[in-house]
Amino acid sequence: MHISTTEASRESHGLELVGARALREWITGEQVQYSRVFLVENGATAETVAEVACEDDAVLLHAQSGPYEGPADVARYSGALSEIGDELFFGERGVELQDYVTAAYVQIIGPTTVGFFDETSWQSFLDDADLARRTGVFPSSLIDPRVLLANRRPLAAPGELATPSAIRVGSDGLVSVGMQGEVIGDVDELKTVIESCLPRAVALGGSAPSRELIEDLTVRGWIGRYLNATDLIKMLSLENGVTKISGFGWSLIDDDRADAEPLSSDPLLLETTDGFVLADTTTLRRQLLSPVTAKVVAATQTSSAPEVAVERLARECGLSESHASTLCRDAATALNIHFGTQVDASRPATSGGGR
């Protein structure tokens, strides 16, 4: 059967899109379209992967790998993504790998993924996050739309137990988690190891000891929200350090009574030149709020329970508690916001640095 140049081009483009989507999920550890993504390095056997990959999985095979017969979506790549400076391509679409620290000093000229290759890199990430928490100024590399941070999901939930969703099958036969994660077995026991529940922090294995990683992130329960804030800055092209984002250098209600961190999945409250805005990085929904409604959002998200939010809102706005209770209830329903997660009394919640 003859296939026209146009048809071949469309097929090639479709495979590139499959590869790009699957690679993004493999890099970030965030499952959107696929349950699992396997990256099979050049020289590794694809047969064992074909035996375990399912219809809702994706397999990224090196261009020089042998034939693949299995139900998963397949895309072939060239290059590699293991060491700093590596580049991986689907056709003409490529992504480069850089260390987190290096990315702040090199010229980003195309799609780039950044990861943590040693403890210095890891500490730099934590220091940058702490600085953004205090001042509202975010690291330039994380708000560049061409940059993708590796292991997003493990960073937001390091201690959560889960079966691996991003799996690397190495040319040496070893199986590891994600781009830089720990080795969890070898290809001969692939079916068993990918069904084992492991802390998500194993995907960060090369940065620092797993227990230290989990501790570093646990005391910063706001890291997931910090990463969502960097997405929001990219999404809306916000001016770094100028637009106010609640919980990062700014709090609308600065009453020292906040006892909770907002849920990572909750929309973010901003103060812009147009007024107060509630923005959701998942649904891409944005809503302009009145000053009173903005305070309702702020009180709700940074309070662990309805009675805490109601008392704070009534005090802040000079309202009766019954009126404040109605506002909180209505806002939760209409705006899809939630009460926050209570924090240790020794650690202040949403340290925004004042108004």
Side-chain angles (χ1 to χ4, degrees):
M1 180 177 67
H2 174 70
I3 299 177
S4 70
T5 302
T6 301
E7 289 174 327
S9 176
R10 287 174 180 169
E11 182 179 352
S12 174
H13 181 65
L15 291 175
E16 287 180 17
L17 290 178
V18 168
R21 292 190 188 109
L23 182 63
R24 183 183 182 90
E25 293 186 26
W26 184 80
I27 289 171
T28 63
E30 296 175 324
Q31 298 157 273
V32 179
Q33 185 167 339
Y34 299 106
S35 293
R36 298 173 302 195
V37 179
F38 298 81
L39 186 142
V40 183
E41 292 184 346
N42 186 22
T45 176
E47 294 178 2
T48 306
V49 176
E51 294 172 0
V52 300
C54 303
E55 291 182 358
D56 54 356
D57 295 333
V59 177
L60 304 177
L61 283 177
H62 195 272
Q64 296 180 6
S65 295
Y68 175 85
E69 296 182 4
D73 282 353
V74 177
R76 291 186 179 269
Y77 68 90
S78 59
L81 210 62
S82 300
E83 304 293 335
I84 297 172
D86 278 353
E87 292 182 277
L88 184 149
F89 293 91
F90 296 102
E92 296 182 355
R93 297 169 180 256
V95 61
E96 181 180 356
L97 177 59
Q98 285 292 344
D99 178 68
Y100 178 83
V101 174
T102 306
Y105 301 100
V106 300
Q107 183 179 8
I108 303 295
I109 58 175
T112 302
T113 183
V114 296
F116 315 115
F117 284 83
D118 54 34
E119 291 197 40
T120 299
S121 180
W122 175 245
Q123 190 58 53
S124 294
F125 168 75
L126 297 177
D127 291 345
D128 285 345
D130 290 340
L131 180 64
R133 176 74 161 173
R134 295 192 306 271
T135 67
V137 177
F138 292 78
S140 59
S141 59
L142 290 192
I143 58 175
D144 187 317
R146 295 165 296 185
V147 173
L148 183 65
L149 179 64
N151 300 311
R152 284 279 304 262
R153 183 68 183 277
L155 287 169
E160 184 178 78
L161 295 177
T163 56
S165 64
I167 300 139
R168 182 196 292 269
V169 180
S171 57
D172 55 5
L174 297 179
V175 177
S176 57
V177 180
M179 192 170 67
Q180 304 161 269
E182 298 176 16
V183 172
I184 58 174
D186 61 54
V187 71
D188 292 333
E189 52 185 356
L190 182 62
K191 181 176 176 57
T192 300
V193 297
I194 63 175
E195 292 177 352
S196 302
C197 280
L198 304 167
R200 292 194 183 275
V202 298
L204 302 164
S207 311
S210 181
R211 186 171 64 180
E212 291 182 17
L213 286 167
I214 294 176
E215 290 176 355
D216 288 339
L217 294 169
T218 299
V219 298
R220 297 170 175 84
W222 42 267
I223 283 289
R225 198 158 179 81
Y226 163 70
L227 297 177
N228 286 343
T230 65
D231 288 343
L232 186 66
I233 293 173
K234 296 178 186 178
M235 184 177 82
L236 301 182
S237 300
L238 301 177
E239 192 171 352
N240 192 17
V242 176
T243 301
K244 297 177 180 178
I245 303 177
S246 182
F248 299 95
W250 172 71
S251 296
L252 181 56
I253 299 179
D254 191 22
D255 59 0
D256 294 324
R257 294 173 181 268
D259 71 340
E261 291 290 348
L263 301 183
S264 293
S265 58
D266 253 28
L268 290 147
L269 179 64
L270 318 175
E271 185 179 23
T272 71
T273 55
D274 295 326
F276 297 107
V277 175
L278 191 66
D280 192 320
T281 57
T282 301
T283 65
L284 307 183
R285 184 184 183 189
R286 286 177 284 169
Q287 295 171 275
L288 193 62
L289 307 179
S290 69
V292 172
T293 303
K295 288 186 176 181
V296 175
V297 171
T300 301
Q301 291 185 325
T302 60
S303 298
S304 62
E307 58 271 19
V308 178
V310 166
E311 190 276 332
R312 293 177 63 208
L313 184 62
R315 180 188 294 268
E316 177 72 17
C317 298
L319 305 173
S320 66
E321 291 202 354
S322 62
H323 189 191
S325 178
T326 299
L327 290 176
C328 288
R329 184 174 61 251
D330 290 349
T333 301
L335 302 175
N336 193 31
I337 59 171
H338 304 83
F339 297 102
T341 302
Q342 190 166 24
V343 298
D344 191 313
S346 65
R347 294 191 290 119
T350 59
S351 51
R355 293 178 186 270

